[in-house]
Each structure stands twice: as structure tokens, then as C-alpha cells.
Amino acid sequence: MESVLNPVEHLQHIFGPAINRVSTNHGIPVVHVHTNQISAITRYLHANEKLRGTLSLLWAVDHRPRDVCYELCYLFTLGESKDWLIVSTDLPGEERLFESITPKIHAANWYEREIRDMFGLIAHGHPDLRRLVRHNHWPKGVHPLHKNFPWNSVLQWRQPPGSVDGQFIHGEGVFEVPVGPIHAGIIEPGHFRFTVAGEPIMHLDLQHFWKHRGVEKLFEQQTLSGGVALAERITGDTTLGHSLAYCQAVEMLWEIHVPRRARYLRSMFLELERLHNHIGDVGGICNDTAYALAHAHCSRLKERVLQLNDRLTGSRFLRGVNCVGGVGIDLSTDQFSELVTELEHIEKDFTELEQIIAVNASLIDRFESTGILKKQTAWDHGVVGVVGRASGIDRDLRRDRPFAAYDELSVRVAGSLHGDVRARVQVRVSEIHESIRLIREIQRMLPDGPLKGDRQVVPDSGAWALSAVEGWRGEILFFLMIGEHEQIHRCKVRDPSFVNWPAIQMAVIGNIIPDFPLINKSFSLSYAGNDL
Amino acid sequence: MFKILKKSFKTGIVTGQYPPAPTGQKISVAPTAQKKAELFRKSLTIREVDTGSCNACEMEMNALASPIYDIERFGIHIAASPRHADALVVTGPVTINMEGPLKDVFKTTPNQKLVIALGDCAINCGIFKGSYAVTGPVDQHIPVDVRIPGCPPRPAEILQALEDLRKS
């Protein structure tokens, strides 16, 4: 009987009275459940063979002053269909405790720690409730996303900074190697604490959020139309991905119909962003095996793409390209032919380089079987993007939930089952070729027409939208809820790095520390996007 | 081996293939910085410190090391440790979590040292100004000698600024 039911009916069939009500928002079913049932229902969604839900996002909303309650929302991406389903529950009044789902769903781990830091809501039964965003020197009782916490508060240290709570392993011959927050290269800050016995890594404890700038709170100071510049600066390497996800959320709220030409241009710029980042990463990964030749060539090619971006849009990182309703920049036919000719050169150049890389024995030796992320581990942690696809998680929003112009383009999704550094390099290489192919397809199909659509409605306070973009790193999610006078009430940003960072802790186990930079680069995660 | 050589010959020398930096940049150099910069006219070693940037400034700093800009041809090196550095290049607004590490890095860098605030965020916190998690621009915590504005400044501009500083 269950097989013919849709997922919501399926849940209603099993949990009946625990479900308060069911609603739909922009086509996403929302199941409102009783707080004490949240663990049982999410566990069922996750483990049931037919539903196979992956936790994609977990966030809280402070409904004050409209309503004295917090709401917790759990977004699941369901198995084969890749449909979305939200489970939500209210914590009324002064209620601060909710049941942790982390013991059953690993993907919830950092989300629940984040909610504790930002809202002061405590996930009861969470196995590791150390501070995540608020480092130890932050004062007690500060929860920045409380509505009564002023965005421009000045925080006083309660102790000198520096001390961190690590997870320690003791024993004979067990050593700890702390690294960071400031690293040797030109990279972002993060603290890694390795526990080793001899050469192999037994355990890695990540301490991030050094760069926490309060992005989500800053969004709450913006109106819907004013948030684009901030979205572009969440993580500079994904300027376009984040601004696109933000604009799409606003467009859903304002029911803007984005013209076809604008949607095609958005897809094209998104592929350009993917291109320069993937080329740079392939070079970076080679550099971490000390293969400087490939690094030099890749950084040369990456620079060519960035200069191309600059010539086409006036910004190397595609800033100012997206605006609410469409795009702010159009390309002439001449510019398009310049773009396609340049990409042809770049592809030829890159293919020659690829042939050199592919037969380099010492490179293959370092890549193969290094930093394996097993499919089951990736699934348990809800890993997304390139890293997920390299571990056999066949998900790509461009195909699964088409946005921009991807419903009219056919995206060939790359993938691998090996889950090692080599697989991640191979997926990137395939995606580089696919991006160039897509841009050619876009050039052929590009329709004429306006670049910007107009807003249709004035949404009520409390309306919300959830938007998703497959950026070069993976799924970027934006939850946007509006308050009074079109002020943003809550903006939850999820960069793919946030879900992929915990998975790196699993991928390094058994590897040696000198391989860590290589594994880390093959994941290529953002610190800024993670820390917000 | 043959393929590698062929590729190198085919590619040729790419250094310098970038559009020149626009003139009239508003780079500000503190009066004391000129004297300090004299010491590093022939060789300058930089340590980059990110205190909360969006990572676009990092990408532009990385681009400087690419064959196209090849910063080493000017005798500028990028060091792995602040103990080896003559200059700190700081990017991003200083976050509450990075304030401590920034001060530590400043203490560890030997004197004489230059501090270069790179990008709008490092100079005035940019779009993150006022946030509870940001404790101020770089000069609130350590003395700054040179300010290179931009969001982010292009590599050619950074290169130009470093060159000007050492020539003057």
C-alpha cells in the first residue's frame, strides 16, 4: 500500500496523530509535527528504504516579535526522486530543549551545534555539544541570531583567546599535531588537530569559524533588494553561485518571471565560475604533490578565464552580474564569439596538459587510494557536490532541480565510485569539459529578449522561499523569510563547505599527515562560506 | 618527456600578459612606511594573513605567484611563516575570532616590518562594518603602513602598489 503513496501521505500513514498539519510552500511540502516526535519521524525518513531522505539543511527561525516561538526546520532530499520535504516543529515560549537527531543522522551534527551557538537552543542527547561558532573567549549567554540581540553589539572577551576544547586521545605513542589557524600558504584560517600514532592519522578534529563575520545577522539588516552585494561576498570564489541563489529566493517571493535570455546568461556565468575554480583546483592538487609544472600551467589557464571574466563583465569574479529579476550585464554577439574562441583555446591547452598529467606515475601514485571517502560515509554525512559525486553520490541540482536555464540544457553529470583524490580530480576534469560544452550550447540556443523581469506581488510578512543552486563546489541553499516592510527576517545560508568539512575528518583517517594538504585541496572547501 | 618540452615551447613566456593597472589608484602610504620600505628595495618577503576576508583577496594574492604575474621577478617572495617575513599583507575585516591570532602574528614578525592592509575590508571593514563578530579594521589592532583599496584589488594593482612603494 505504501508504494503508491507520496512521501507526505506515507508519513501520515505511519505517524498519523503526531503530524499537526501539512502545508505547501512554492511546491515544497512542509510537514508540521509535534516536537517530541521529531526524532522518530526524521529517523524514519532517513532510514526507510523507499524514502531514503538525506538531511540537506537544518535551521532555526526566531519568530519574535510576531510570535513568541522558535521554529526548527529539517529539509530532506528524498532518495531517487530528489524531491524536497520539510519537517518542521515549533518550540513555543521559553522552551529551549529539543531532541537531537545527530545520534541517528550524522549530517545533523554541525547544524545542531550551530543552532545552540546562534540561538541558545539545546539539542538534547547530542554527543558533542562543544562550542562551534563561538570560540571559548566569547562571553556566555550570547546568541547572535536571537531577535533581541543587537546586530552591532560589542562583545567583551571572557578570557584570552586561543584555548580550544579538543577531542583528545591518550595512550602510549599517541601524539597530537596542532596546525593553524594561520597556515603556510596563502589560504584561509582554520585549526586542525591531528592525533597520530606513528605515521597514520587516527583522528582529526576541526576547529573552524575563525572567519565568522555574522553574515546571517547582517542579512537581517537588509531589505530584500539590498542583499545581493552581501551574498556576493559570502565566499569570493563563489560570488555568482551565492548571488544567484539569493536572487532566486527573492524572485520566488516577488513572483518575478525571469526572462529566458537572463536565465541563459546566468547559466553561462555560473559555468564560467565553475571553469576557473576547477582549473585552479586541478593545478592546486598537483601542486600539493609538488608537481609544479601542472600547477604553473593551470594557474596560467585560470588567469586567462579570470581576465576573460574581467573583459566581459568588468569584474574578475563576476561581481555585479546578478541582480534581483535577472542580470545586469548583457553580452553582444562579438563578445560571445570572443568568449567561445577563447574557451576553445583554453580547452585545447588544458587537454594537452591533461595528457601530461594522466601518465605521470608519481602523480598517480599520490592520487590513487589517498583520502578515500566511502559512499556510505558520504551518504551518512549528506556530502554534496564534486566530493559527493566522486564518492558515488549521484546528485547534481542542474539535473535534479533545474534552475536558471538548465531545464532546457542537457547536463551530463560526472561521477566516480572510488572516492579517492584521483576520483575527485577526474570529476573536476570531466566537469571542465562539460562546462565548456554547456557554454557552447548556450551560445547556440541563446534567445533574444529583456534581461530583467518585474515584481508581481507584495508578499506578506512571514512569507519564505528556499532556493538552490549547484555552484562549482556543490549545492548552495538559501532560506529567506521576510518580516515587516520587506526587511529580511531570517536568512539561512548554506555553502556546500559546511556539510563537506565534517566528512574530511572521515576521509583522512589512516592516511599520513603529509597527504593531508593533498586531501584537503582535493575537497577544496571554503572557510569563509563555512564560517559565515 | 617530449610532450612536456613541447608544451613548454608551445606556451612560451607568458609573464606580463595582463592588462596594466589603472592609473590614479588611491593607495595610501604612511610617512613612516617610506623609510622602512627602503630596507626592502631589492628583496621583500611577504606573509599573508587572512583575518576574515571573503577569500577573493586571497585568490588575487595567489594569482601574483602565477607565471602571468610572477611576483618573484621583482624579488618579492611569499614566506610560509611570519618569522621569515618583512611585510604582513592582511586581508579582511578583523573578526572576533581572528583578533588574537593577528596580534600573535604581528608580535612574531621581526622588526622592521611593514603592514599592508589589502582590500576594502582590511581598510574599513567594507560590507561587514558594524557586525557583532567584527572587531574593527586592521589599523585598530596593529599599525598599518600601506593601504591598497579594492574589492578585491586586481593583481596588477597590488603589484603596482608594491613596486611604487619600493621605488619611491
Side-chain angles (χ1 to χ4, degrees), chain A residues 118 133 135 137-138 144 149 151-153 155 157 161 181-186 188-189 209-215 217-218 229-230 233-237 276-277 291 293 296-297 299-300 302-303 307 310 314 316-317 319 348-349 352-353 355-356 526 528, chain B residues 3-4 7-8 10-11 14 17-19 47-63 65-69 78-82 93 95-103 105 127-135 151-152 154-155:
Chain A
M118 303 310 277
V133 183
H135 286 190
H137 63 286
W138 285 47
F149 178 84
W151 72 281
N152 52 5
S153 308
L155 302 177
W157 294 356
I182 294 174
H183 301 279
I186 303 180
E188 305 172 69
F209 300 90
W210 298 88
K211 300 179 72 171
H212 177 70
R213 296 148 291 167
V215 168
K217 193 77 177 179
L218 284 169
L230 185 56
R233 283 159 185 81
I234 289 170
T235 166
D237 50 20
H276 80 74
N277 279 300
Y291 193 44
L293 179 98
H297 278 295
S299 45
R300 171 176 66 81
K302 177 183 175 164
E303 179 62 25
Q307 289 185 11
D310 201 2
R316 288 161 59 88
F317 299 100
R319 286 196 169 147
K348 190 162 167 276
D349 208 329
E352 288 168 5
L353 182 64
Q355 286 159 357
I356 294 172
S526 167
Chain B
K3 270 189 179 162
I4 295 175
K7 180 85 186 148
S8 299
K10 222 172 123 184
T11 308
V14 295
Q17 290 180 4
Y18 56 87
R47 169 70 253 190
E48 202 268 354
V49 183
D50 172 0
T51 56
S53 83
C54 71
N55 79 22
C57 288
E58 274 63 55
M59 281 174 75
E60 298 299 46
M61 280 299 291
N62 272 320
S66 77
I68 303 223
Y69 297 96
I78 291 166
S81 163
T95 62
I96 177 167
N97 289 342
M98 278 308 287
E99 188 184 326
L102 173 67
K103 287 175 174 166
V105 162
I127 203 163
F128 305 107
K129 192 173 185 171
S131 163
Y132 65 90
V134 168
T135 60
C151 187
R154 290 182 173 80

Side-chain angles (χ1 to χ4, degrees), chain A residues 465-480:
Chain A
L466 192 60
S467 117
V469 162
E470 186 77 27
W472 65 275
R473 230 181 227 120
E475 294 176 11
I476 300 165
L477 301 177
F478 260 77
F479 168 84
L480 201 59

Side-chain angles (χ1 to χ4, degrees), chain A residues 345-399:
Chain A
H345 289 309
I346 290 172
E347 187 169 32
K348 190 162 167 276
D349 208 329
F350 185 78
T351 311
E352 288 168 5
L353 182 64
E354 219 182 296
Q355 286 159 357
I356 294 172
I357 295 174
V359 295
N360 187 317
S362 61
L363 212 59
I364 296 169
D365 187 43
R366 288 291 301 278
F367 285 178
E368 260 183 1
S369 74
T370 304
I372 295 177
L373 181 68
K374 290 191 183 122
K375 183 177 179 180
Q376 183 64 43
T377 318
W379 194 77
D380 287 343
H381 286 81
V383 169
V384 294
V386 172
V387 181
R389 288 192 282 278
S391 290
I393 306 285
D394 182 30
R395 274 169 66 176
D396 190 322
L397 290 170
R398 292 178 293 171
R399 179 198 59 198

Side-chain angles (χ1 to χ4, degrees), chain B residues 22-168:
Chain B
T23 47
Q25 290 180 81
K26 296 194 183 78
I27 294 162
S28 89
V29 182
T32 49
Q34 296 292 2
K35 199 154 183 287
K36 279 196 247 172
E38 264 175 32
L39 289 167
F40 309 119
R41 284 178 88 147
K42 299 231 164 126
S43 155
L44 174 71
T45 302
I46 286 176
R47 169 70 253 190
E48 202 268 354
V49 183
D50 172 0
T51 56
S53 83
C54 71
N55 79 22
C57 288
E58 274 63 55
M59 281 174 75
E60 298 299 46
M61 280 299 291
N62 272 320
L64 287 180
S66 77
I68 303 223
Y69 297 96
D70 189 17
I71 197 171
E72 297 254 353
R73 70 195 151 123
F74 301 108
I76 302 173
H77 321 283
I78 291 166
S81 163
R83 289 180 209 273
H84 306 153
D86 307 317
L88 295 177
V89 171
V90 188
T91 58
V94 183
T95 62
I96 177 167
N97 289 342
M98 278 308 287
E99 188 184 326
L102 173 67
K103 287 175 174 166
D104 288 348
V105 162
F106 184 75
K107 263 185 247 159
T108 338
T109 312
N111 287 324
Q112 293 276 9
K113 57 196 159 198
L114 285 165
V115 176
I116 302 168
L118 182 74
D120 292 347
C121 291
I123 296 170
N124 57 24
C125 297
I127 203 163
F128 305 107
K129 192 173 185 171
S131 163
Y132 65 90
V134 168
T135 60
V138 177
D139 62 8
Q140 185 145 341
H141 302 294
I142 58 173
V144 171
D145 299 301
V146 182
R147 293 173 176 82
I148 307 175
C151 187
R154 290 182 173 80
E157 294 171 35
I158 305 173
L159 211 50
Q160 188 67 49
L162 292 175
E163 272 305 278
D164 290 351
L165 177 69
R166 298 192 309 149
K167 270 188 210 143
S168 54

Side-chain angles (χ1 to χ4, degrees), chain A residues 20-21 29-39 41-42 55 57-64 67-76 85-93 95-102 108 110-124 145-146 464 466 479 481 490 492:
Chain A
N20 294 339
R21 68 199 149 88
V30 186
V31 181
H32 301 266
V33 304
H34 208 271
T35 312
N36 57 18
Q37 289 295 312
I38 201 79
S39 177
I41 292 177
T42 51
L55 183 73
L57 185 62
L58 165 50
W59 72 101
V61 180
D62 183 356
H63 282 294
R64 290 168 185 81
D67 211 353
V68 184
C69 89
Y70 294 101
E71 187 182 359
L72 290 168
C73 303
Y74 302 72
L75 172 72
F76 282 88
L85 184 130
I86 295 175
V87 180
S88 102
T89 187
D90 287 342
L91 293 179
E95 184 62 51
R96 289 281 179 280
L97 275 179
F98 65 99
E99 203 178 338
S100 169
I101 62 167
T102 303
W110 276 23
Y111 289 117
E112 290 185 345
R113 286 173 68 184
E114 185 193 33
I115 286 173
R116 189 214 154 179
D117 276 0
M118 303 310 277
F119 289 91
L121 306 176
I122 296 160
H124 180 69
L145 290 178
H146 268 181
W464 58 266
L466 192 60
F479 168 84
M481 179 183 259
R490 171 88 171 102
K492 173 72 199 142

